[in-house]
PDB file of all heavy atoms in Angstrom:
ATOM      1  N   VAL A 186      -5.567 -16.378  11.667  1.00 96.00           N
ATOM      2  CA  VAL A 186      -4.185 -16.059  11.293  1.00 96.00           C
ATOM      3  C   VAL A 186      -4.187 -15.119  10.094  1.00 96.00           C
ATOM      4  O   VAL A 186      -3.472 -14.121  10.073  1.00 96.00           O
ATOM      5  CB  VAL A 186      -3.372 -17.338  10.993  1.00 96.00           C
ATOM      6  CG1 VAL A 186      -2.040 -17.003  10.342  1.00 96.00           C
ATOM      7  CG2 VAL A 186      -3.159 -18.134  12.269  1.00 96.00           C
ATOM      8  N   GLY A 187      -4.988 -15.433   9.091  1.00 95.00           N
ATOM      9  CA  GLY A 187      -5.056 -14.595   7.899  1.00 95.00           C
ATOM     10  C   GLY A 187      -5.588 -13.204   8.170  1.00 95.00           C
ATOM     11  O   GLY A 187      -5.197 -12.236   7.516  1.00 95.00           O
ATOM     12  N   ILE A 188      -6.461 -13.096   9.155  1.00 95.00           N
ATOM     13  CA  ILE A 188      -7.016 -11.788   9.508  1.00 95.00           C
ATOM     14  C   ILE A 188      -5.989 -10.962  10.271  1.00 95.00           C
ATOM     15  O   ILE A 188      -5.829  -9.768  10.027  1.00 95.00           O
ATOM     16  CB  ILE A 188      -8.306 -11.960  10.332  1.00 95.00           C
ATOM     17  CG1 ILE A 188      -9.402 -12.519   9.430  1.00 95.00           C
ATOM     18  CG2 ILE A 188      -8.740 -10.645  10.964  1.00 95.00           C
ATOM     19  CD1 ILE A 188     -10.610 -12.989  10.183  1.00 95.00           C
ATOM     20  N   ASN A 189      -5.272 -11.611  11.177  1.00 94.00           N
ATOM     21  CA  ASN A 189      -4.285 -10.897  11.986  1.00 94.00           C
ATOM     22  C   ASN A 189      -2.997 -10.607  11.227  1.00 94.00           C
ATOM     23  O   ASN A 189      -2.279  -9.672  11.572  1.00 94.00           O
ATOM     24  CB  ASN A 189      -3.969 -11.681  13.261  1.00 94.00           C
ATOM     25  CG  ASN A 189      -5.114 -11.614  14.240  1.00 94.00           C
ATOM     26  OD1 ASN A 189      -5.627 -10.543  14.524  1.00 94.00           O
ATOM     27  ND2 ASN A 189      -5.541 -12.762  14.738  1.00 94.00           N
ATOM     28  N   GLN A 190      -2.681 -11.401  10.234  1.00 93.00           N
ATOM     29  CA  GLN A 190      -1.477 -11.222   9.423  1.00 93.00           C
ATOM     30  C   GLN A 190      -1.905 -11.348   7.959  1.00 93.00           C
ATOM     31  O   GLN A 190      -1.850 -12.436   7.386  1.00 93.00           O
ATOM     32  CB  GLN A 190      -0.442 -12.299   9.744  1.00 93.00           C
ATOM     33  CG  GLN A 190       0.064 -12.275  11.160  1.00 93.00           C
ATOM     34  CD  GLN A 190       1.162 -11.253  11.332  1.00 93.00           C
ATOM     35  OE1 GLN A 190       1.945 -11.007  10.433  1.00 93.00           O
ATOM     36  NE2 GLN A 190       1.210 -10.646  12.497  1.00 93.00           N
ATOM     37  N   ALA A 191      -2.311 -10.248   7.365  1.00 93.00           N
ATOM     38  CA  ALA A 191      -2.852 -10.273   6.001  1.00 93.00           C
ATOM     39  C   ALA A 191      -1.897 -10.929   5.008  1.00 93.00           C
ATOM     40  O   ALA A 191      -2.334 -11.590   4.059  1.00 93.00           O
ATOM     41  CB  ALA A 191      -3.198  -8.854   5.551  1.00 93.00           C
ATOM     42  N   GLU A 192      -0.606 -10.798   5.237  1.00 95.00           N
ATOM     43  CA  GLU A 192       0.360 -11.410   4.317  1.00 95.00           C
ATOM     44  C   GLU A 192       0.355 -12.930   4.411  1.00 95.00           C
ATOM     45  O   GLU A 192       0.947 -13.606   3.573  1.00 95.00           O
ATOM     46  CB  GLU A 192       1.774 -10.854   4.551  1.00 95.00           C
ATOM     47  CG  GLU A 192       2.370 -11.174   5.897  1.00 95.00           C
ATOM     48  CD  GLU A 192       2.006 -10.196   7.006  1.00 95.00           C
ATOM     49  OE1 GLU A 192       1.183  -9.303   6.790  1.00 95.00           O
ATOM     50  OE2 GLU A 192       2.568 -10.342   8.106  1.00 95.00           O
ATOM     51  N   ARG A 193      -0.318 -13.483   5.400  1.00 96.00           N
ATOM     52  CA  ARG A 193      -0.414 -14.936   5.564  1.00 96.00           C
ATOM     53  C   ARG A 193      -1.715 -15.502   4.988  1.00 96.00           C
ATOM     54  O   ARG A 193      -1.951 -16.703   5.068  1.00 96.00           O
ATOM     55  CB  ARG A 193      -0.310 -15.317   7.043  1.00 96.00           C
ATOM     56  CG  ARG A 193       1.065 -15.095   7.605  1.00 96.00           C
ATOM     57  CD  ARG A 193       2.020 -16.105   7.034  1.00 96.00           C
ATOM     58  NE  ARG A 193       3.391 -15.715   7.292  1.00 96.00           N
ATOM     59  CZ  ARG A 193       4.374 -15.916   6.443  1.00 96.00           C
ATOM     60  NH1 ARG A 193       4.164 -16.503   5.297  1.00 96.00           N
ATOM     61  NH2 ARG A 193       5.585 -15.539   6.727  1.00 96.00           N
ATOM     62  N   MET A 194      -2.556 -14.657   4.401  1.00 96.00           N
ATOM     63  CA  MET A 194      -3.830 -15.145   3.875  1.00 96.00           C
ATOM     64  C   MET A 194      -3.614 -16.174   2.760  1.00 96.00           C
ATOM     65  O   MET A 194      -4.367 -17.128   2.629  1.00 96.00           O
ATOM     66  CB  MET A 194      -4.702 -13.989   3.384  1.00 96.00           C
ATOM     67  CG  MET A 194      -6.121 -14.417   3.053  1.00 96.00           C
ATOM     68  SD  MET A 194      -6.980 -15.308   4.368  1.00 96.00           S
ATOM     69  CE  MET A 194      -7.697 -13.962   5.261  1.00 96.00           C
TER      70      MET A 194
END
Side-chain angles (χ1 to χ4, degrees):
V186 169
I188 291 168
N189 287 311
Q190 297 278 327
E192 65 274 6
R193 290 289 166 216
M194 190 53 88

